[in-house]
Amino acid sequence: FGTNRLGGLQPAKPSAASMMRYIEDVLREYPKRLSRACVMMPSLQFGNKEHTADEAGSSAQMQPGASSVHPFAPNRFETLRWRYHAAYDDPVNGLQKAILDLSQMQADDDLLGDRAFSVHRPSQQSCRHSASVPETSAVRLHPLVVHHYVGSSERYGKRNDIRRKTNPDLYTLKANASAVFDEVGWITGWLDEFVKEHGAEQARSVLKEYTQ
């Protein structure tokens, strides 16, 4: 995947439906390298090294022309609070994930049977194995990457997941995945754009638990 070509496809900032438009553009640009039925994506693990509130802050206004900054607390949002992630080739990043388009699958696809092949590769027929798509492991170069946020130990422990109870060292392993700072931080602009798109009142009603 060429960085120059991808740069021309990526939206300048998050906005309504911007991710869907980007995915469609990428699929059109690379029809031979990405399957429309099953898009395989590498994962990137974010640790618990905290980004400061000032740096993570947003500039959205309560309403056009207002001088008050919106009332949301950036450190309450995973995508704004954690900006340090694992090295791109670190095994802690884990296995790939998939986006499925069932309308593009063949009628005899194994996924349409009793069960998926696996969580990370739902269909053997439609989802390419990572070994056959080198770019899947080249996290830095892939056009679509799944971000995993381990979050705080308190939040991590609240989820009812048997893996977290049987392997207490798993949190420490993921929490220490903080070798690289996400300088681009494209996703961090979503809060400003959400407020602009829907207005402060509606945004506040939806995100009331995230206010200062």
Tab-separated table of all heavy atoms in Angstrom, residues 167-196:
chain	number	residue	atom	x	y	z
A	167	ASN	N	-6.020	-15.105	33.702
A	167	ASN	CA	-4.674	-14.657	33.337
A	167	ASN	C	-4.471	-13.216	33.802
A	167	ASN	O	-4.527	-12.285	33.002
A	167	ASN	CB	-4.479	-14.766	31.821
A	167	ASN	CG	-3.041	-14.475	31.400
A	167	ASN	OD1	-2.173	-14.199	32.234
A	167	ASN	ND2	-2.788	-14.511	30.102
A	168	PRO	N	-4.205	-13.021	35.088
A	168	PRO	CA	-4.067	-11.662	35.634
A	168	PRO	C	-2.884	-10.891	35.061
A	168	PRO	O	-2.852	-9.662	35.103
A	168	PRO	CB	-3.882	-11.903	37.135
A	168	PRO	CG	-3.366	-13.312	37.235
A	168	PRO	CD	-4.034	-14.056	36.126
A	169	ASP	N	-1.903	-11.598	34.495
A	169	ASP	CA	-0.729	-10.922	33.929
A	169	ASP	C	-1.030	-10.316	32.555
A	169	ASP	O	-0.232	-9.546	32.033
A	169	ASP	CB	0.440	-11.901	33.793
A	169	ASP	CG	0.949	-12.380	35.146
A	169	ASP	OD1	0.805	-11.608	36.125
A	169	ASP	OD2	1.477	-13.497	35.216
A	170	LEU	N	-2.184	-10.658	32.006
A	170	LEU	CA	-2.529	-10.175	30.672
A	170	LEU	C	-2.676	-8.653	30.666
A	170	LEU	O	-2.271	-7.987	29.714
A	170	LEU	CB	-3.825	-10.826	30.194
A	170	LEU	CG	-4.209	-10.584	28.734
A	170	LEU	CD1	-3.120	-11.089	27.805
A	170	LEU	CD2	-5.541	-11.267	28.416
A	171	TYR	N	-3.245	-8.104	31.740
A	171	TYR	CA	-3.408	-6.651	31.799
A	171	TYR	C	-2.048	-5.961	31.814
A	171	TYR	O	-1.832	-4.982	31.099
A	171	TYR	CB	-4.205	-6.221	33.030
A	171	TYR	CG	-4.267	-4.714	33.149
A	171	TYR	CD1	-5.132	-3.971	32.352
A	171	TYR	CD2	-3.424	-4.022	34.026
A	171	TYR	CE1	-5.170	-2.589	32.410
A	171	TYR	CE2	-3.455	-2.637	34.099
A	171	TYR	CZ	-4.329	-1.930	33.289
A	171	TYR	OH	-4.355	-0.565	33.348
A	172	THR	N	-1.134	-6.450	32.633
A	172	THR	CA	0.195	-5.848	32.715
A	172	THR	C	0.891	-5.861	31.368
A	172	THR	O	1.515	-4.876	30.959
A	172	THR	CB	1.058	-6.596	33.749
A	172	THR	OG1	0.399	-6.568	35.025
A	172	THR	CG2	2.428	-5.962	33.881
A	173	LEU	N	0.768	-6.971	30.659
A	173	LEU	CA	1.396	-7.102	29.345
A	173	LEU	C	0.864	-6.044	28.383
A	173	LEU	O	1.629	-5.360	27.698
A	173	LEU	CB	1.121	-8.497	28.779
A	173	LEU	CG	1.659	-8.777	27.371
A	173	LEU	CD1	3.178	-8.769	27.372
A	173	LEU	CD2	1.127	-10.116	26.859
A	174	LYS	N	-0.458	-5.879	28.344
A	174	LYS	CA	-1.065	-4.913	27.429
A	174	LYS	C	-0.858	-3.476	27.910
A	174	LYS	O	-0.681	-2.563	27.102
A	174	LYS	CB	-2.559	-5.210	27.277
A	174	LYS	CG	-2.838	-6.534	26.591
A	174	LYS	CD	-4.324	-6.764	26.412
A	174	LYS	CE	-4.590	-8.046	25.636
A	174	LYS	NZ	-6.038	-8.279	25.408
A	175	ALA	N	-0.880	-3.272	29.222
A	175	ALA	CA	-0.720	-1.925	29.769
A	175	ALA	C	0.657	-1.349	29.473
A	175	ALA	O	0.820	-0.131	29.306
A	175	ALA	CB	-0.960	-1.941	31.278
A	176	ASN	N	1.658	-2.221	29.373
A	176	ASN	CA	3.024	-1.769	29.103
A	176	ASN	C	3.287	-1.515	27.623
A	176	ASN	O	4.392	-1.139	27.243
A	176	ASN	CB	4.026	-2.802	29.630
A	176	ASN	CG	4.076	-2.818	31.146
A	176	ASN	OD1	3.771	-1.829	31.799
A	176	ASN	ND2	4.431	-3.963	31.714
A	177	ALA	N	2.282	-1.714	26.800
A	177	ALA	CA	2.431	-1.506	25.353
A	177	ALA	C	2.366	-0.014	25.034
A	177	ALA	O	1.354	0.486	24.553
A	177	ALA	CB	1.348	-2.266	24.603
A	178	SER	N	3.415	0.702	25.345
A	178	SER	CA	3.418	2.165	25.200
A	178	SER	C	4.712	2.676	24.593
A	178	SER	O	5.232	3.719	24.977
A	178	SER	CB	3.188	2.811	26.573
A	178	SER	OG	1.997	2.353	27.171
A	179	ALA	N	5.238	1.954	23.616
A	179	ALA	CA	6.538	2.299	23.043
A	179	ALA	C	6.478	3.466	22.071
A	179	ALA	O	7.455	4.183	21.885
A	179	ALA	CB	7.122	1.075	22.331
A	180	VAL	N	5.319	3.689	21.459
A	180	VAL	CA	5.211	4.690	20.395
A	180	VAL	C	4.074	5.659	20.688
A	180	VAL	O	2.972	5.247	21.071
A	180	VAL	CB	4.959	4.020	19.020
A	180	VAL	CG1	4.879	5.065	17.909
A	180	VAL	CG2	6.046	2.996	18.718
A	181	PHE	N	4.337	6.956	20.508
A	181	PHE	CA	3.289	7.961	20.683
A	181	PHE	C	2.579	8.179	19.348
A	181	PHE	O	3.215	8.356	18.307
A	181	PHE	CB	3.884	9.283	21.171
A	181	PHE	CG	2.874	10.400	21.273
A	181	PHE	CD1	1.827	10.325	22.173
A	181	PHE	CD2	2.960	11.517	20.449
A	181	PHE	CE1	0.882	11.342	22.262
A	181	PHE	CE2	2.026	12.532	20.530
A	181	PHE	CZ	0.988	12.449	21.446
A	182	ASP	N	1.267	8.166	19.378
A	182	ASP	CA	0.472	8.382	18.166
A	182	ASP	C	0.457	9.870	17.836
A	182	ASP	O	-0.417	10.613	18.270
A	182	ASP	CB	-0.955	7.865	18.390
A	182	ASP	CG	-1.856	8.101	17.184
A	182	ASP	OD1	-1.317	8.248	16.071
A	182	ASP	OD2	-3.087	8.148	17.366
A	183	GLU	N	1.445	10.302	17.064
A	183	GLU	CA	1.591	11.731	16.769
A	183	GLU	C	0.473	12.260	15.877
A	183	GLU	O	0.060	13.409	15.998
A	183	GLU	CB	2.948	11.986	16.110
A	183	GLU	CG	4.133	11.713	17.027
A	183	GLU	CD	5.452	12.042	16.350
A	183	GLU	OE1	5.417	12.505	15.193
A	183	GLU	OE2	6.499	11.852	16.984
A	184	VAL	N	-0.009	11.434	14.970
A	184	VAL	CA	-1.067	11.880	14.050
A	184	VAL	C	-2.365	12.103	14.810
A	184	VAL	O	-3.003	13.151	14.702
A	184	VAL	CB	-1.268	10.862	12.921
A	184	VAL	CG1	-2.419	11.301	12.014
A	184	VAL	CG2	0.018	10.706	12.126
A	185	GLY	N	-2.768	11.102	15.588
A	185	GLY	CA	-3.958	11.244	16.411
A	185	GLY	C	-5.211	11.607	15.635
A	185	GLY	O	-6.049	12.361	16.109
A	186	TRP	N	-5.363	11.051	14.445
A	186	TRP	CA	-6.507	11.409	13.585
A	186	TRP	C	-7.837	11.203	14.297
A	186	TRP	O	-8.721	12.054	14.243
A	186	TRP	CB	-6.452	10.576	12.301
A	186	TRP	CG	-7.575	10.866	11.349
A	186	TRP	CD1	-7.618	11.858	10.417
A	186	TRP	CD2	-8.811	10.164	11.236
A	186	TRP	NE1	-8.813	11.815	9.724
A	186	TRP	CE2	-9.561	10.783	10.212
A	186	TRP	CE3	-9.363	9.064	11.905
A	186	TRP	CZ2	-10.835	10.340	9.837
A	186	TRP	CZ3	-10.617	8.627	11.538
A	186	TRP	CH2	-11.336	9.261	10.511
A	187	ILE	N	-7.965	10.092	14.991
A	187	ILE	CA	-9.249	9.744	15.607
A	187	ILE	C	-9.633	10.722	16.721
A	187	ILE	O	-10.801	10.865	17.060
A	187	ILE	CB	-9.211	8.290	16.144
A	187	ILE	CG1	-10.629	7.816	16.519
A	187	ILE	CG2	-8.278	8.182	17.340
A	187	ILE	CD1	-11.592	7.789	15.366
A	188	THR	N	-8.657	11.428	17.296
A	188	THR	CA	-8.963	12.311	18.422
A	188	THR	C	-9.847	13.491	18.020
A	188	THR	O	-10.414	14.160	18.875
A	188	THR	CB	-7.667	12.853	19.068
A	188	THR	OG1	-6.949	13.630	18.101
A	188	THR	CG2	-6.804	11.710	19.570
A	189	GLY	N	-9.965	13.757	16.733
A	189	GLY	CA	-10.809	14.870	16.302
A	189	GLY	C	-12.287	14.560	16.272
A	189	GLY	O	-13.117	15.442	16.002
A	190	TRP	N	-12.662	13.321	16.612
A	190	TRP	CA	-14.064	12.935	16.477
A	190	TRP	C	-14.980	13.710	17.427
A	190	TRP	O	-16.121	14.020	17.068
A	190	TRP	CB	-14.231	11.430	16.703
A	190	TRP	CG	-14.172	10.989	18.154
A	190	TRP	CD1	-13.092	10.520	18.817
A	190	TRP	CD2	-15.250	10.986	19.093
A	190	TRP	NE1	-13.406	10.239	20.118
A	190	TRP	CE2	-14.730	10.503	20.318
A	190	TRP	CE3	-16.590	11.333	19.044
A	190	TRP	CZ2	-15.512	10.371	21.462
A	190	TRP	CZ3	-17.372	11.204	20.191
A	190	TRP	CH2	-16.836	10.718	21.382
A	191	LEU	N	-14.510	14.048	18.628
A	191	LEU	CA	-15.375	14.713	19.594
A	191	LEU	C	-15.762	16.120	19.131
A	191	LEU	O	-16.938	16.513	19.187
A	191	LEU	CB	-14.695	14.773	20.965
A	191	LEU	CG	-15.512	15.414	22.097
A	191	LEU	CD1	-16.855	14.720	22.252
A	191	LEU	CD2	-14.735	15.359	23.408
A	192	ASP	N	-14.788	16.870	18.653
A	192	ASP	CA	-15.076	18.201	18.118
A	192	ASP	C	-16.102	18.121	16.981
A	192	ASP	O	-17.064	18.889	16.934
A	192	ASP	CB	-13.801	18.852	17.580
A	192	ASP	CG	-12.943	19.433	18.682
A	192	ASP	OD1	-13.295	19.250	19.858
A	192	ASP	OD2	-11.920	20.060	18.370
A	193	GLU	N	-15.869	17.183	16.065
A	193	GLU	CA	-16.752	17.067	14.911
A	193	GLU	C	-18.141	16.579	15.299
A	193	GLU	O	-19.145	16.969	14.694
A	193	GLU	CB	-16.128	16.124	13.870
A	193	GLU	CG	-14.832	16.644	13.277
A	193	GLU	CD	-15.012	18.042	12.676
A	193	GLU	OE1	-15.985	18.245	11.928
A	193	GLU	OE2	-14.181	18.919	12.985
A	194	PHE	N	-18.218	15.744	16.330
A	194	PHE	CA	-19.514	15.260	16.809
A	194	PHE	C	-20.349	16.410	17.355
A	194	PHE	O	-21.542	16.542	17.084
A	194	PHE	CB	-19.302	14.197	17.894
A	194	PHE	CG	-20.576	13.573	18.399
A	194	PHE	CD1	-21.219	12.594	17.656
A	194	PHE	CD2	-21.124	13.971	19.612
A	194	PHE	CE1	-22.396	12.016	18.119
A	194	PHE	CE2	-22.303	13.402	20.073
A	194	PHE	CZ	-22.937	12.416	19.333
A	195	VAL	N	-19.698	17.279	18.127
A	195	VAL	CA	-20.399	18.439	18.689
A	195	VAL	C	-20.833	19.388	17.580
A	195	VAL	O	-21.948	19.911	17.583
A	195	VAL	CB	-19.498	19.179	19.712
A	195	VAL	CG1	-20.175	20.462	20.188
A	195	VAL	CG2	-19.193	18.274	20.897
A	196	LYS	N	-19.964	19.611	16.605
A	196	LYS	CA	-20.308	20.497	15.494
A	196	LYS	C	-21.467	19.935	14.670
A	196	LYS	O	-22.342	20.671	14.214
A	196	LYS	CB	-19.092	20.710	14.601
A	196	LYS	CG	-17.972	21.510	15.246
A	196	LYS	CD	-16.771	21.581	14.316
A	196	LYS	CE	-15.598	22.301	14.978
A	196	LYS	NZ	-14.396	22.309	14.105
